[in-house]
C-alpha cells in the first residue's frame, strides 16, 4: 500500500553570486562557481533546468520581450547554443499576489527549457558561470515509493463487508460512522486480525481517539474554512464529498477563460499540477484512491444518511469545511518539484487555511541523501522551502479566523527515530501515527522533529485501519465508495480535520489568530501518550520478515502527545479544563480558579448534570483545604460548576455579615493513564 508518498530527489546545495561574471561574492558569503550547482543529475528531467537570478537582474527580466529569452546577455548566449525555446517564471504572478511574491523573492525563480539532447550537466556548469544567476537546480520529478512491510492494502469495501463490521459508538445517521474508531473508541470495536501475525499485541484502548464527540457539541465545521489536499486528485463528485468541495465561485466552468485572473483557467475545485491543467483526475485502477481517502477523513459530509463522518464535515446543512484538490500525483506520473511548489503557492493565493500533505522524503536515517536538519533542508530544497514559507505567511484570509496558513505533514512510514522532510521543517506540524491501542504504529516515524500523534490505523487489528472515502470506477452496485488504509498519511488528515474544526469554531466566536498562535494552540491541545508506552510487540509479516517494537523507546519522542479536538475548542472559547485519572481518587487543587486563598473558602454547592455525571462515572465529590476530591470510573468529559463562599458567615446565619458567592465553571476530563499531578493542563 502507498499510505505514505515519498519524493525521490538527489541532495541539493544552494548558494549564489553577484552580477559581475568574474565576481562570485554574495551577501551570504563567498562561493565558487561549482558551488552554485545544487545537485547531481540523478532522476533529473531532461531539457529543463531551474535557476534563481540575483535581485539586480530584475530589471532585465521585467522588460524582456521574448518569452524564449531572459534579456540577460550571458544567459541568452547559452540559450542560443542549447536551442532554448522557453523561459518561464516558476511562481505565478498576478496583480493580486504581486506584492507578496516579490516580498519573498519568488519572482527570481525561472525554469529554462531547451533541447533534450543537450547534456544538462554541461548546461548547469555554463549557467553557473553567469554572475546574474544565484542558484542552478536540476528539475526533479516527484515520485511515490511503495511502503515496505505493509499489512493493509487499500481496500474497496462491499456492502456486505461493512454490514458485518463490529459496532462503534458515534450517534449519527451516517451509515458507516460507527466503524470509525479514530473518532470515538470504546475499546470494543477492533479485534486481533490473525493469530500468529503479532505476539503480545496490546488490547484496544478506550479513548484512543481524537475526542470528537464533545467537540461536535460546540462546532461541526464551517464552509469558509478551506483545506488544500496536496495529493492524488480528490474525487469531487463523490457522494460523501461533493457538498464539501471547495468551488471557485469566480470561475466559469468549461469556458476556457481565466475569469478570476488568478492565472489558471477553469480551476473549479483546484488544479492538476501533474498535467498543469484543470482536469483533476482519479482512477482506482491506476491510483490508490489516497487523495480521496484523506479528504474524507477531514470533511466527508456528516448527517447525510450515507457513508462516514468527516471531522469538520458539518451537520448536513452545507456547513462543512471545504476541500481544495491540489493534484500532484496520478497513475505513474508525478509533478515536478517545480510544479509542487506552484501547487503550494496556488493554495495560499486561493484562500486555503490549511495545507494537508501526506508526502515527503525518506528519513535521513533511511536515505543519507535526504535532508537531515532545517538548515540543510532549506539549502538543498530551497524552492520547496520557500513555497512552504510563502503559504505560512500568506495562507488563510484577511478577515477570517486565521492570518497566514497552517502546514501539516505526515511524519513518514519508515519506522525510524527521525521524521522525513518537509515534515520535520520547523514551520510544519509533523504527525506520527498511533493504533487503536494508543501505542505508536509499527511503521510510524518518531523522534526529534515529530510534533504530535494522531490515529493512523494498524492492520494488526481486524478493524484497525482507517475507513474513509475512495473513488469509484466500478459498475457493480454492491461495491461501496469507501475503503481502508493505514499510515501517517491517515494520521495527518486527522490533525488537519481537527485544525479545520478549531478554525470553524473560532470563526463562530469571531476570534482571529496568527498562524503561529493557532499552531501553538493545536500543539497544546493534546494528551500524554507516554503512560501507555509499555511492553513490546513482535510482528511477522507476510514475506516472513519480523519486526520487534519496544514501546518504551518511544517515550518523549511523539511530540506534544496525541491530538484532542475538544481541548482545542475549549482553548478557543477560553473554557478551562482539568484532566483526572479514571479508577483512582483524584485530589485537584482549585487555586487556579479561586486564587491561592481558596483553602480559606467554604463550599456552597457543586453542580453537574445527571448526564455528565454518568458520562464519567462520577461518584461523590468532597471539598477540603481548597481541593476537590473525586473518583471517576469512566473516560469521558463533563461540565462542572463550583460555588464557594468567601468572607462573612453562612448564607443561613442572618446575624453575621453575608458571604459572597464565587462561582467557577470548568470541564472535567476523565482519562486512563493520567499522571499523578492531578492532570492540570
Amino acid at each position: 500500500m502507498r499510505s505514505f508518498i515519498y519524493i525521490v530527489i538527489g541532495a541539493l546545495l544552494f548558494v549564489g553570486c553577484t552580477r559581475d561574471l568574474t565576481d562570485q561574492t554574495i551577501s551570504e558569503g563567498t562561493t565558487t562557481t561549482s558551488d552554485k550547482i545544487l545537485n547531481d543529475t540523478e532522476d533529473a528531467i531532461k531539457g529543463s533546468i531551474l535557476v534563481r537570478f540575483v535581485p539586480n537582474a530584475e530589471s532585465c527580466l521585467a522588460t524582456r520581450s521574448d518569452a524564449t529569452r531572459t534579456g540577460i546577455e550571458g544567459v541568452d548566449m547559452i540559450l542560443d547554443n542549447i536551442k532554448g525555446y522557453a523561459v518561464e517564471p516558476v511562481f505565478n504572478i498576478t496583480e493580486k499576489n504581486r506584492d507578496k511574491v516579490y516580498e519573498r523573492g519568488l519572482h527570481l525563480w525561472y525554469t529554462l527549457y531547451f533541447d533534450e539532447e543537450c547534456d544538462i550537466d554541461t548546461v548547469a556548469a555554463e549557467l553557473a558561470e553567469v554572475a546574474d544567476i544565484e542558484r542552478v537546480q536540476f528539475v526533479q520529478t516527484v515520485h511515490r515509493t511503495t511502503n515496505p512491510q505493509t499489512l493493509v492494502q487499500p481496500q474497496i469495501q462491499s456492502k456486505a463487508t461493512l454490514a458485518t463490521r463490529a459496532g462503534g459508538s458515534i450517534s449519527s445517521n451516517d451509515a458507516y460512522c460507527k466503524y470509525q474508531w479514530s473518532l470515538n473508541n470504546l475499546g470494543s470495536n477492533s479485534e486481533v486480525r490473525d493469530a500468529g501475525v503479532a505476539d503480545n499485541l496490546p488490547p484496544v484502548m478506550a479513548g484512543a481517539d481524537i475526542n470528537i464527540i464533545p467537540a461536535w457539541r460546540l462546532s461541526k465545521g464551517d464552509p469558509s474554512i478551506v483545506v488544500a489536499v496536496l495529493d492524488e486528485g480528490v474525487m469531487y463528485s463523490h457522494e460523501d464529498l461533493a457538498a464539501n468541495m471547495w468551488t471557485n465561485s469566480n470561475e466559469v466552468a468549461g469556458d476556457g477563460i481565466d475569469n478570476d485572473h488568478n492565472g489558471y483557467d477553469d480551476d473549479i475545485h483546484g488544479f492538476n499540477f501533474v498535467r498543469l491543467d484543470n482536469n483533476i483526475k482519479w482512477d482506482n485502477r491506476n491510483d490508490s484512491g489516497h487523495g480521496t481517502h484523506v479528504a474524507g477523513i477531514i470533511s466527508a459530509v456528516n448527517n447525510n444518511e450515507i457513508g462516514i463522518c468527516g471531522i469538520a464535515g458539518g451537520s448536513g446543512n452545507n456547513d462543512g469545511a471545504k476541500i481544495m484538490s491540489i493534484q500532484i500525483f496520478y497513475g505513474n506520473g508525478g509533478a515536478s518539484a517545480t510544479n509542487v511548489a506552484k501547487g503550494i503557492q496556488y493554495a495560499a493565493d486561493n484562500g486555503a487555511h490549511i495545507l494537508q500533505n501526506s508526502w515527503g522524503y525518506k528519513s535521513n536515517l533511511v536515505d543519507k541523501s535526504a535532508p537531515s536538519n532545517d538548515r540543510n533542508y532549506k539549502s538543498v530544497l530551497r524552492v520547496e522551502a520557500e513555497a512552504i514559507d510563502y503559504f505560512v505567511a500568506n495562507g488563510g484570509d484577511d478577515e477570517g479566523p486565521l492570518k497566514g496558513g497552517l502546514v501539516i505533514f505526515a511524519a513518514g512510514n519508515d519506522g525510524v527515530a527521525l521524521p522525513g522532510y518537509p515534515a520535520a521543517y520547523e514551520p510544519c506540524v509533523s504527525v506520527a501515527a498511533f493504533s487503536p491501542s494508543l501505542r505508536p504504529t509499527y511503521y510510524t516515524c518518531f523522534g526529534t522533529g515529530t510534533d504530535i500523534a494522531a490515529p493512523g490505523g494498524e492492520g494488526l487489528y481486524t478493524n484497525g485501519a482507517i475507513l474513509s472515502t475512495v473513488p469509484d470506477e466500478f459498475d457493480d452496485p454492491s461495491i461501496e465508495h469507501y475503503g481502508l488504509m493505514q499510515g501517517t498519511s491517515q494520521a495527518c488528515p486527522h490533525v488537519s480535520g481537527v485544525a479545520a474544526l478549531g478554525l470553524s469554531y473560532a470563526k463562530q466566536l469571531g476570534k482571529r489568530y496568527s498562524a503561529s498562535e493557532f499552531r501553538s494552540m493545536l500543539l497544546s491541545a493534546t494528551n500524554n501518550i507516554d503512560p501507555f508506552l509499555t511492553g513490546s510487540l513482535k510482528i511477522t509479516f507476510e514475506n516472513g520478515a519480523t519486526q520487534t517494537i519496544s514501546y518504551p523507546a518511544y517515550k518523549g519522542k511523539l511530540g506534544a502527545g496525541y491530538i484532542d479536538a475538544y481541548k482545542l475548542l475549549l482553548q478557543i472559547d477560553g473554557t478551562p479544563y482539568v484532566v483526572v485519572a479514571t479508577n483512582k481518587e483524584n485530589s485537584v487543587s482549585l487555586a487556579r480558579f479561586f486564587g491561592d486563598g481558596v483553602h480559606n473558602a467554604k463550599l456552597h454547592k457543586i453542580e453537574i448534570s445527571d448526564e455528565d455525571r454518568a458520562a464519567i462515572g462520577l461518584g461523590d465529590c468532597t471539598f477540603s483545604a481548597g481541593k476537590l476530591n473525586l473518583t471517576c470510573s469512566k473516560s469521558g468529559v463533563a461540565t462542572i460548576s463550583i460555588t464557594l463562599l468567601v468572607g462573612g458567615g453562612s448564607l443561613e446565619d442572618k446575624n453575621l455579615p453575608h458571604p459572597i458567592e464565587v462561582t467557577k465553571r470548568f470541564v472535567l476530563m476523565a482519562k486512563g493513564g493520567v499522571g499523578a499531578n492531578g492532570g492540570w493542563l
Side-chain angles (χ1 to χ4, degrees):
M1 182 194 72
R2 293 172 288 191
S3 290
F4 186 80
I5 303 169
Y6 297 111
I7 296 178
V8 178
I9 187 169
L12 310 181
L13 187 61
F14 288 84
V15 289
C17 67
T18 60
R19 190 172 180 79
D20 189 336
L21 286 172
T22 61
D23 181 5
Q24 301 300 322
T25 302
I26 61 170
S27 59
E28 297 178 6
T30 302
T31 183
T32 64
T33 298
S34 60
D35 287 334
K36 292 179 7 177
I37 300 175
L38 310 179
N39 59 310
D40 59 36
T41 57
E42 182 180 355
D43 199 42
I45 298 174
K46 294 182 178 180
S48 65
I49 206 160
L50 186 65
V51 298
R52 190 182 198 274
F53 290 99
V54 299
N56 291 341
E58 287 183 34
S59 57
C60 295
L61 294 167
T63 58
R64 67 191 180 105
S65 57
D66 185 351
T68 70
R69 297 295 181 267
T70 66
I72 298 170
E73 183 177 1
V75 179
D76 290 346
M77 288 176 59
I78 296 172
L79 288 172
D80 288 340
N81 292 333
I82 61 177
K83 300 178 182 179
Y85 62 87
V87 176
E88 296 179 353
V90 171
F91 293 96
N92 184 38
I93 303 175
T94 67
E95 183 177 349
K96 184 177 180 181
N97 73 10
R98 181 178 300 275
D99 290 345
K100 298 174 183 178
V101 171
Y102 272 70
E103 179 183 2
R104 309 200 73 84
L106 300 188
H107 63 295
L108 299 173
W109 287 101
Y110 279 76
T111 305
L112 312 182
Y113 296 93
F114 48 88
D115 191 333
E116 291 188 5
E117 298 301 316
C118 293
D119 179 74
I120 54 178
D121 274 316
T122 301
V123 173
E126 292 178 352
L127 289 169
E129 294 287 343
V130 181
D132 288 292
I133 291 179
E134 186 179 282
R135 308 280 191 266
V136 179
Q137 175 184 345
F138 298 112
V139 181
Q140 307 289 332
T141 300
V142 178
H143 289 295
R144 292 178 281 192
T145 62
T146 301
N147 180 35
Q149 305 289 37
T150 185
L151 286 170
V152 173
Q153 298 296 325
Q155 300 171 18
I156 306 300
Q157 299 296 289
S158 70
K159 293 179 179 179
T161 299
L162 286 168
T164 59
R165 287 193 175 279
S169 58
I170 299 175
S171 177
S172 170
N173 68 13
D174 296 280
Y176 305 137
C177 63
K178 58 187 177 181
Y179 312 130
Q180 294 177 270
W181 65 264
S182 63
L183 302 186
N184 192 33
N185 190 345
L186 294 181
S188 59
N189 54 335
S190 291
E191 300 171 355
V192 176
R193 185 184 75 139
D194 188 11
V197 171
D199 296 332
N200 300 318
L201 187 67
V204 174
M205 177 69 68
D209 54 45
I210 64 170
N211 199 20
I212 196 65
I213 302 303
W216 276 341
R217 298 171 192 160
L218 302 177
S219 178
K220 292 183 172 63
D222 188 283
S224 68
I225 305 304
V226 180
V227 183
V229 175
L230 206 70
D231 208 301
E232 291 178 1
V234 176
M235 183 182 176
Y236 53 79
S237 60
H238 192 289
E239 60 183 5
D240 222 1
L241 290 173
N244 282 349
M245 289 300 301
W246 174 78
T247 300
N248 187 348
S249 59
N250 296 318
E251 197 72 14
V252 178
D255 68 353
I257 299 173
D258 180 14
N259 304 101
D260 60 352
H261 306 292
N262 72 345
Y264 298 89
D265 299 342
D266 295 347
D267 53 319
I268 303 302
H269 299 296
F271 204 74
N272 185 333
F273 286 91
V274 182
R275 299 157 42 106
L276 286 179
D277 63 25
N278 55 54
N279 186 13
I280 296 172
K281 298 178 71 66
W282 61 86
D283 183 348
N284 266 327
R285 296 176 176 88
N286 295 307
D287 287 348
S288 67
H290 195 281
T292 304
H293 197 270
V294 163
I297 294 170
I298 298 168
S299 197
V301 180
N302 295 336
N303 205 39
N304 60 351
E305 299 184 355
I306 57 173
I308 62 167
C309 292
I311 295 169
S315 64
N317 296 308
N318 295 315
D319 54 357
K322 299 300 184 182
I323 298 294
M324 176 190 292
S325 181
I326 308 295
Q327 184 167 5
I328 61 170
F329 297 106
Y330 176 69
N332 294 323
S336 69
T338 306
N339 288 341
V340 169
K342 289 179 183 286
I344 295 172
Q345 184 207 15
Y346 176 95
D349 288 346
N350 289 279
H353 298 80
I354 299 166
L355 191 69
Q356 154 65 37
N357 303 271
S358 294
W359 54 273
Y361 309 94
K362 288 187 175 182
S363 167
N364 181 256
L365 297 179
V366 176
D367 181 354
K368 294 300 181 182
S369 68
S372 58
N373 56 56
D374 282 14
R375 182 177 180 180
N376 176 230
Y377 171 68
K378 292 195 73 171
S379 65
V380 304
L381 295 169
R382 179 72 174 270
V383 170
E384 180 181 286
E386 288 191 6
I388 289 173
D389 291 344
Y390 181 87
F391 184 88
V392 172
N394 298 299
D397 54 72
D398 294 330
E399 304 296 333
L402 190 67
K403 174 55 180 172
L406 190 66
V407 182
I408 304 178
F409 266 89
N413 292 339
D414 296 318
V416 296
L418 188 71
Y421 274 84
Y425 183 37
E426 189 274 334
C428 306
V429 175
S430 172
V431 185
F434 68 79
S435 77
S437 71
L438 200 50
R439 271 77 168 179
T441 61
Y442 68 88
Y443 53 77
T444 189
C445 287
F446 57 103
T448 303
T450 305
D451 299 313
I452 201 167
E458 193 162 70
L460 300 172
Y461 300 88
T462 302
N463 300 314
I466 304 298
L467 181 67
S468 187
T469 48
V470 292
D472 174 47
E473 294 292 335
F474 302 95
D475 297 326
D476 186 347
S478 69
I479 300 297
E480 292 284 46
H481 308 169
Y482 302 88
L484 293 166
M485 294 187 188
Q486 69 172 29
T488 55
S489 291
Q490 278 58 54
C492 184
H494 279 86
V495 176
S496 293
V498 169
L501 190 67
L503 290 175
S504 299
Y505 192 43
K507 172 71 178 299
Q508 178 181 324
L509 299 180
K511 296 192 175 185
R512 181 169 170 81
Y513 303 97
S514 69
S516 60
E517 287 172 336
F518 193 80
R519 183 180 63 165
S520 295
M521 294 175 68
L522 183 69
L523 293 179
S524 58
T526 57
N527 297 301
N528 187 7
I529 198 171
D530 283 0
F532 303 98
L533 304 182
T534 60
S536 63
L537 172 68
K538 181 180 179 180
I539 306 170
T540 302
F541 296 94
E542 294 174 354
N543 63 3
T546 62
Q547 178 181 350
T548 300
I549 297 170
S550 174
Y551 290 118
Y554 292 83
K555 286 189 175 182
K557 298 178 182 179
L558 291 168
Y562 65 100
I563 187 70
D564 190 307
Y566 190 42
K567 283 187 176 180
L568 177 61
L569 271 60
L570 290 178
Q571 285 190 57
I572 291 169
D573 72 16
T575 300
Y577 57 86
V578 61
V579 181
V580 297
T582 55
N583 299 312
K584 64 176 291 186
E585 185 175 356
N586 297 270
S587 182
V588 180
S589 172
L590 299 183
R592 179 184 180 187
F593 299 125
F594 295 94
D596 290 337
V598 67
H599 62 280
N600 293 320
K602 300 175 182 178
L603 177 67
H604 176 48
K605 59 183 176 181
I606 300 174
E607 296 177 293
I608 182 172
S609 71
D610 291 341
E611 180 182 2
D612 279 5
R613 182 181 289 273
I616 61 175
L618 180 64
D620 293 334
C621 294
T622 61
F623 175 81
S624 63
K627 294 183 178 180
L628 187 66
N629 305 298
L630 54 89
T631 302
C632 303
S633 62
K634 296 165 60 177
S635 293
V637 298
T639 299
I640 188 168
S641 179
I642 296 178
T643 301
L644 300 182
L645 301 180
V646 178
S650 68
L651 291 175
E652 293 77 20
D653 193 340
K654 305 300 182 182
N655 296 318
L656 294 174
H658 201 281
I660 297 174
E661 297 181 46
V662 180
T663 301
K664 296 292 184 178
R665 176 177 172 271
F666 60 92
V667 169
L668 193 65
M669 295 187 185
K671 288 183 174 292
V674 175
N677 64 352
W680 283 105
L681 296 176

